[in-house]
Amino acid sequence: MTATRGRLRAAAALTVAVCLLAGCSTSTDTAAEGTGSAAGGEYQIWDPYPQFDDSSDWVKLLTKCGTDAGVTVKRTGYDTTDLTNKALLAAQQGNSPDVLIVDNPVVSTLADAGVLTTSDEMKIDTSAVSPNLLAAGQIGGKTYGIPIGANTLALYYNKKVLDAAKVDPTAIKDWASLTDALKKVKAAGKKGITFSAIGTEEGSFQFLPWFWGSGANLTQLDSAQGVAALDLWTGWLKDGLAPNSVLNNTQTTSWQEFATGDFAFSENGTWQLANAKKAGFEYGIIPIPSQAGGVAPAPTGGEFVTAPVQTETARYATTEKLVACLTSADNAYTTDTTLSYIAATDAVQQKQVADNPELKVWVEAVKAAKGRTSDDLGTKYPKISQPMWTAFQAALSGSASSSDALKTAQTTAAAATK
């Protein structure tokens, strides 16, 4: 058995737990499995958007990119977790798709398993991509693919609730001013902030802006900064500024709480913009503040366009054209609008804000954002994330102090990532 095949079998045996609702569909798999070795000018593209059918702008773009490249595109949409498992299995069997679009934390898993070509090998131009977004696809000094766009987190607020509490959202610049605002809201008879602290990757996704915003690093979960971040959350629950329901909230149920109109703030993402417009009350959005002031680094959601390894390397020339088409400035703008994503390049971001000023705060958040697998963590990230969410669940439920919970998490993560 080759080293690559060994890695593929090991990776295929694992369940990838880094998908979050922000960038993942929850639809069931209804598409037929394809093969990357199709003849007759047919090229396979697999994506995590099964919610889009053949009449959608997304599938029309895939078809157009194939036509422009002189080939026929066969597209298959899978649920994100299912897509990862199928990609690993297909690589093991030697029938990978030509283009694979995957949730950004999965890139490191597939790259480590030997599934993906590098951007240099495929001549993918990533020079215009924001470095903080590209970092999610960089492992061991190599880049795998190119981001199609990104989403991240910020704080939605209910203007009526804040006005009644005499809170100016533009004055919230750090943790102290945010907590002070929550206390004023509570004193005015309303509820403070809702978020997701569920014991899954989704909870970790929501904890990371506070963790990173304290100056903490994922390689040292129990640092003084990390403890401060968890103390912030536990303090909010203890003081009645956040509900106990956060322990079980997904990002969807957290939003549903905010949509009642009783809460001042909701930590949520770009994907809720359409729902915000339907909420029935005036809302606004501010970046998540860091402890000392400024915008906290929030984690990036969103997908990378990648090119799996092929036995028939002559196919790469056409694959390059397909990737270039999907990520061109004009097409990226259309795609990111469809997916409620912020573009990966400054030029397209500027166009988005010019057309929709409401996106300005999201562009600022994305510019400060960070990939979960960045800092060359790669496949170590899931082994750190699980102890982290176990820690904040323990602290928020009162079964352990923030310090003790994170000490246990650090011991577990250190052993898992040796």
Side-chain angles (χ1 to χ4, degrees):
M1 181 190 299
T2 66
T4 296
R5 285 282 183 259
R7 291 200 304 273
L8 282 169
R9 291 190 179 183
L14 297 175
T15 299
V16 179
V18 293
C19 173
L20 65 148
L21 295 182
C24 306
S25 167
T26 55
S27 301
T28 55
D29 171 20
T30 58
E33 183 174 349
T35 168
S37 58
E42 184 175 88
Y43 277 66
Q44 299 282 336
I45 297 180
W46 292 1
D47 67 48
Y49 314 126
Q51 68 270 32
F52 296 134
D53 61 22
D54 290 348
S55 66
S56 67
D57 289 342
W58 168 247
V59 177
K60 288 177 182 177
L61 172 61
L62 298 181
T63 301
K64 180 181 183 301
C65 287
T67 300
D68 291 349
V71 297
T72 299
V73 162
K74 181 177 181 181
R75 174 261 181 173
T76 309
Y78 294 106
D79 170 81
T80 296
T81 302
D82 196 28
L83 174 60
T84 303
N85 296 332
K86 279 184 164 53
L88 289 165
L89 182 61
Q92 185 180 352
Q93 296 174 341
N95 62 350
S96 292
D98 297 280
V99 177
L100 179 63
I101 302 167
V102 291
D103 195 21
N104 73 71
V106 176
V107 174
S108 60
T109 298
L110 298 179
D112 185 67
V115 174
L116 305 178
T117 61
T118 68
S119 297
D120 285 344
E121 289 173 320
M122 293 301 296
K123 300 180 180 64
I124 297 173
D125 183 7
T126 61
S127 60
V129 177
S130 299
N132 65 319
L133 301 183
L134 192 62
Q138 293 175 324
I139 305 97
K142 297 180 180 179
T143 302
Y144 296 85
I146 182 171
I148 203 167
N151 54 32
T152 193
L153 298 166
L155 296 179
Y156 289 83
Y157 65 82
N158 183 320
K159 188 176 185 301
K160 183 178 180 180
V161 171
L162 293 190
D163 285 349
K166 295 181 171 55
V167 170
D168 177 5
T170 64
I172 297 173
K173 302 294 185 183
D174 53 24
W175 290 1
S177 55
L178 175 57
T179 299
D180 183 60
L182 298 179
K183 290 177 179 178
K184 290 179 179 178
V185 167
K186 182 185 177 185
K190 291 292 185 178
K191 299 176 182 179
I193 185 169
T194 177
F195 50 90
S196 169
I198 194 170
T200 67
E201 175 59 26
E202 201 166 349
S204 289
F205 190 77
Q206 291 240 321
F207 182 58
L208 280 172
W210 313 101
F211 183 82
W212 282 332
S214 72
N217 189 292
L218 285 170
T219 58
Q220 195 63 46
L221 294 175
D222 60 347
S223 66
Q225 295 91 336
V227 172
L230 188 46
D231 278 343
L232 179 71
W233 268 18
T234 57
W236 285 347
L237 262 67
K238 180 181 177 182
D239 295 337
L241 306 179
N244 288 327
S245 58
V246 301
L247 276 158
N248 298 308
N249 270 348
T250 64
Q251 291 177 114
T252 298
T253 58
S254 170
W255 180 263
Q256 289 168 350
E257 287 182 334
F258 180 66
T260 64
D262 292 331
F263 282 85
F265 294 96
S266 169
E267 179 185 353
N268 232 296
T270 48
W271 54 92
Q272 298 291 6
L273 277 170
N275 288 328
K277 297 180 191 303
K278 301 173 186 176
F281 52 80
E282 190 175 354
Y283 72 93
I285 306 164
I286 60 172
I288 296 173
S290 64
Q291 182 177 21
V295 180
T300 56
E303 287 76 42
F304 267 59
V305 182
T306 68
V309 173
Q310 301 292 334
T311 302
E312 299 175 33
T313 58
R315 300 179 70 85
Y316 290 158
T318 298
T319 299
E320 290 169 16
K321 294 178 182 178
L322 294 175
V323 173
C325 177
L326 290 174
T327 58
S328 70
D330 288 343
N331 290 336
Y333 175 82
T334 302
T335 297
D336 290 334
T337 300
T338 299
L339 299 175
S340 293
Y341 282 176
I342 298 302
T345 65
D346 184 67
V348 182
Q349 288 173 0
Q350 290 182 25
K351 183 177 180 182
Q352 287 181 304
V353 173
D355 289 349
N356 183 1
E358 186 180 38
L359 295 179
K360 184 176 186 295
V361 66
W362 292 109
V363 169
E364 292 175 358
V366 164
K367 285 182 180 296
K370 186 174 181 178
R372 286 160 282 172
T373 58
S374 296
D375 299 327
D376 215 25
L377 286 178
T379 55
K380 292 180 180 179
Y381 172 74
K383 300 172 185 177
I384 297 170
S385 178
Q386 184 165 354
M388 182 170 65
W389 81 55
T390 301
F392 62 66
Q393 280 266 305
L396 291 170
S397 65
S399 65
S401 67
S402 297
S403 178
D404 288 345
L406 287 172
K407 282 180 182 177
T408 300
Q410 177 58 29
T411 299
T412 303
T417 57
K418 281 183 179 178

